[in-house]
Every structure is written in structure tokens, then in C-alpha cells.
Amino acid sequence: GAPGAPLPVEAAVVPDVGYCDHTSRAAAVAASGKIAFRTRSEEEILEDGYKWRKYGKKSVKNSPNPRNYYRCSTEGCSVKKRVERDKDDANYVVTMYEGVHNHASPGTIYYAAQDPASGRFFVTGTHQLAP
């Protein structure tokens, strides 16, 4: 794409493992507390506005790329994320979040839309709030 153009991002709510399509994203996130994003990126660590500390790394079966585990650095927040390259297409990074932050949100607002055919959610744009 053009320099400065937003990267294509796919978001899917995941009740346990893998991707699933849901018609009610909010209800599914509330029930499972998990959401995953598949982003085309050369960078493995994507900026999401929160501060994270790495607590683990492991090999993934049938994938040449490891999975990295992070926790939110804010005291008392139990949100976790795991990051790995897509095993079928290493041009994509899959980031899964588990939990809901119990503190101020980051300075980025994400705008999403749902594809009527597939039911998947896509990030259509972002807006960075001034500090």
C-alpha cells in the first residue's frame, strides 16, 4: 500500500482457540473475554497504546515461529496477550488479547466495520488522541 496508509487488519472474536465469526461481537467478547487480530505486518510487536511485559515464549507445533506471551504492565490489570506469526502466511501477525483492561484506555481510537458477507470485523481507521 501507499506510505502512511493503514495496514489491513482482521479482527475475530474467539471463544477459545482459533477464529470464529459472531453476529454479536459485544456479546461474544463479554462472554469469552478474548479477541484476536490478524494484521499484515513486517513488525511482530504492534503498538496498541498499552505497556506490556513479556513473561513467556514457546515453540508452536507445525509452525517455524514462536509464540510470545505478555501481561499488561499496569498494576492490578490482568489482561494478557499472545503474539505469533500466522502459521499459514508469515506476512501476518496474530495478536490475541484475553481480559478487559481495568484502567484508562490508550490514546488511540479504533474504528471498525463488519463485513456483511463473512461477519468478520475489520479496522477501518484509527485516530491518535493528543496527549
Side-chain angles (χ1 to χ4, degrees):
L7 296 172
V9 177
E10 296 178 26
V13 176
V14 283
D16 188 20
V17 178
Y19 294 104
C20 295
D21 292 324
H22 292 278
T23 55
S24 175
R25 178 178 179 265
V29 169
S32 71
K34 294 183 182 180
I35 187 166
F37 292 92
R38 183 176 179 263
T39 309
R40 185 178 182 95
S41 175
E42 291 181 19
E43 300 294 322
E44 190 157 316
I45 306 300
L46 305 174
E47 181 59 45
D48 61 7
Y50 290 99
K51 294 187 183 204
W52 301 92
R53 64 181 170 81
K54 188 174 181 178
Y55 72 90
K57 178 179 184 173
K58 78 174 204 177
S59 297
V60 179
K61 187 176 180 179
N62 299 324
S63 177
N65 304 301
R67 180 180 297 155
N68 296 294
Y69 296 89
Y70 300 85
R71 289 180 198 215
C72 182
S73 294
T74 301
E75 187 175 340
C77 184
S78 61
V79 175
K80 297 178 186 176
K81 78 174 177 176
R82 69 182 202 200
V83 180
E84 63 188 281
R85 287 268 165 206
D86 187 310
K87 69 178 183 174
D88 298 321
D89 187 346
N91 292 313
Y92 287 87
V93 173
V94 178
T95 305
M96 179 183 285
Y97 295 90
E98 182 177 353
V100 178
H101 291 279
N102 60 3
H103 52 91
S105 62
T108 304
I109 298 173
Y110 294 89
Y111 300 96
Q114 185 176 22
D115 177 53
S118 69
R120 289 187 178 216
F121 287 86
F122 295 88
V123 173
T124 57
T126 62
H127 175 74
Q128 189 70 35
L129 298 175

